[in-house]
Amino acid sequence: MKVIANDWINHLSPYEAGKPISELAREFGLQEENIIKLASNENPLGFSELAKQAISSELAEIARYPDGAAFALKQALVEHLSAHQINASQITLGNGSNDILDLIARIFLRPGTNAIFSAHAFIVYKLATITAGAEAREVAAQNYAHDLTAIIKTIDINTKVIFLANPNNPTGTCFTQRELQSFLAQIPAHILVVLDEAYFEYADPKLATNGMQLVHQYPNLVVVRTFSKAYGLAGLRVGYAVAHPEITNLLNKARQPFNVNSLAQIAAVYALKDQDFIKNGITLNHKGMQQIIAGIAKLDLDYLPSQGNFLAIKFAQDTSQINLELLRRGVIVRPIAGYQMPEFLRVSIGTEAENQQFLQTLTAIL
Ligand SMILES: *Cc1c(COP(=O)(O)O)cnc(C)c1O
């Protein structure tokens, strides 16, 4: 079967997800309640109570197919984004924003074409590009951040898509709205620019971008956001793209008819109504970020300043041994050797108690 598979699939390495708590408990004979997971940038506060109640009342409807057009969720997003006058005809929903990244690759890429993204950028860009049989052009980063000038220089006649993550995962680095505007002004109109703002809610608006302000001006811009991070709905899988109606039509043709399930749709509608939950999460994240930065400073460890809900911490050597010692003690973080950053560990910001447990365990190991 390997012989008949598309050759480029044989060369792919599967996505390495954060280790689930249950798996670590099985592997190391630990109690689940003693384990903390700071490995997938999930929300330590869980998710909105309003969304929880909405899910409960929707349970009775599970025998029915979801609304394939997701009318209510699109309306809720139109309202949420009203400052930018986004129309429902510009919104595509995905089974997580990864679904949308994959759709974009399937629609715009094929063998003989290429997509460009930064080194150390979110790995799904590479996976989606290679799965579509296209060439993945990784551009060297500058201090781990996207080098937008170098990305422009990498464009050639076969370039169809540019993926940007802002803030980027796993580095937490950011470019500004001004830098984005100058970048977009230099990109030919026939190249699609995908701006992934998965951590938009956490970032300082003065340092990061708001792509929604630019979709009317640039018909080749797709802004992608998710309910998995600040909204705490990672397990339900729901994300969205905002773009010109022509791009939206293409995405709509190629997506699976019922790609967002009914519980995810209703949860997202109510999660959007609960902006207090988002505010609390952002406050907790800022405090937790300071707590972890102060803690690792005592250990003389360096880090990349982050605009997300995670921090890439730099060690003197390859971190696989430190990671193993953390796992043994019930602390799951994310090694990022797969991002060519073998001397880093990425830790998601947790509750104050989780951050403290991480810092104490790390101190004991070092
Ligand atoms: C977590 C993350 C996503 C979100 O993925 P979902 O499929 O929506 O859960 C997208 N982009 C980046 C850069 C991320 O870190």
Side-chain angles (χ1 to χ4, degrees):
M1 288 301 114
K2 272 187 181 160
V3 178
I4 65 166
N6 289 324
D7 193 41
W8 50 86
I9 304 292
N10 282 319
H11 298 297
L12 267 180
S13 313
Y15 180 82
E16 283 176 51
K19 192 185 274 293
I21 289 176
S22 55
E23 186 181 313
L24 182 68
R26 271 199 311 278
E27 279 181 9
F28 288 78
L30 300 171
Q31 297 295 319
E32 290 198 13
E33 55 274 20
N34 297 332
I35 296 174
I36 57 166
K37 183 184 177 207
L38 300 174
S40 301
N41 303 342
E42 293 148 341
N43 196 320
L45 294 179
F47 67 104
S48 159
E49 275 304 319
L50 286 183
K52 202 170 289 180
Q53 284 161 21
I55 292 170
S56 306
S57 42
E58 185 68 19
L59 281 176
E61 300 298 321
I62 276 189
R64 305 243 176 240
Y65 276 96
D67 174 6
F71 178 82
L73 179 50
K74 282 185 192 164
Q75 286 310 308
L77 283 167
V78 164
E79 204 172 303
H80 179 65
L81 301 169
S82 59
H84 308 297
Q85 298 187 302
I86 303 299
N87 194 280
S89 66
Q90 294 174 277
I91 301 175
T92 308
L93 295 167
N95 185 30
S97 54
N98 282 316
D99 184 26
I100 292 166
L101 299 173
D102 202 53
L103 261 179
I104 289 169
R106 284 203 284 128
I107 294 168
F108 295 96
L109 300 175
R110 62 177 183 277
T113 68
N114 69 68
I116 304 177
F117 46 84
S118 174
H120 318 298
F122 188 46
I123 209 126
V124 169
Y125 312 144
K126 187 193 287 180
L127 293 178
T129 299
I130 294 179
T131 301
E135 180 199 344
R137 294 204 166 175
E138 207 167 282
V139 177
Q142 216 173 24
N143 284 331
Y144 297 97
H146 287 29
D147 182 341
L148 296 176
T149 309
I151 287 176
I152 292 170
K153 287 188 184 143
T154 310
I155 293 172
D156 73 6
I157 187 102
N158 298 316
T159 301
K160 302 288 177 200
V161 180
I162 300 173
F163 290 104
L164 306 173
N166 206 48
N168 182 41
N169 167 23
T171 59
T173 54
C174 244
F175 49 85
T176 64
Q177 187 79 356
R178 231 199 168 128
E179 290 170 303
L180 174 63
Q181 277 171 307
S182 148
F183 176 83
L184 289 170
Q186 296 174 72
I187 303 298
H190 63 269
I191 295 177
L192 192 73
V193 177
V194 180
L195 178 67
D196 180 352
E197 293 185 329
Y199 301 95
F200 171 79
E201 293 82 3
Y202 291 111
D204 179 344
K206 290 192 291 295
L207 301 177
T209 56
N210 182 348
M212 298 302 166
Q213 293 174 355
L214 298 169
V215 286
H216 293 292
Q217 192 180 346
Y218 291 99
N220 59 335
L221 174 65
V222 184
V223 181
V224 182
R225 291 192 188 165
T226 182
F227 286 93
S228 296
K229 306 287 158 57
Y231 286 90
L233 300 178
L236 281 176
R237 315 303 304 127
V238 51
Y240 61 99
V242 175
H244 191 280
E246 194 172 310
I247 298 176
T248 306
N249 273 335
L250 291 166
L251 294 170
N252 193 43
K253 286 183 198 191
R255 73 179 173 88
Q256 300 228 359
F258 303 105
N259 60 337
V260 183
N261 71 71
S262 44
L263 300 186
Q265 289 187 31
I266 193 85
V269 167
Y270 282 85
L272 282 171
K273 291 185 203 287
D274 195 350
Q275 289 299 316
D276 283 345
F277 175 83
I278 301 298
K279 282 200 198 93
N280 292 339
I282 292 167
T283 305
L284 182 78
N285 187 59
H286 286 154
K287 284 189 189 149
M289 184 76 80
Q290 291 316 312
Q291 184 189 359
I292 292 195
I293 288 173
I296 61 170
K298 287 189 196 145
L299 297 171
D300 253 338
L301 295 171
D302 208 356
Y303 63 91
L304 303 179
S306 170
Q307 288 298 314
N309 63 344
F310 56 88
L311 196 66
I313 303 175
K314 191 169 191 212
F315 293 79
Q317 70 285 329
D318 179 292
T319 54
S320 42
Q321 192 60 35
I322 295 167
N323 184 53
L324 184 63
E325 296 299 332
L326 284 167
L327 289 174
R328 280 201 179 118
R329 292 163 177 82
V331 176
I332 313 175
V333 298
R334 185 76 77 96
I336 46 177
Y339 286 88
Q340 294 130 34
M341 298 171 74
E343 69 278 44
F344 285 84
L345 288 174
R346 190 197 69 192
V347 57
S348 307
I349 309 303
T351 61
E352 187 181 354
E354 287 170 332
N355 300 335
Q356 194 184 351
Q357 189 175 337
F358 162 70
L359 288 168
Q360 281 173 349
T361 310
L362 184 64
T363 306
I365 291 168
L366 293 180

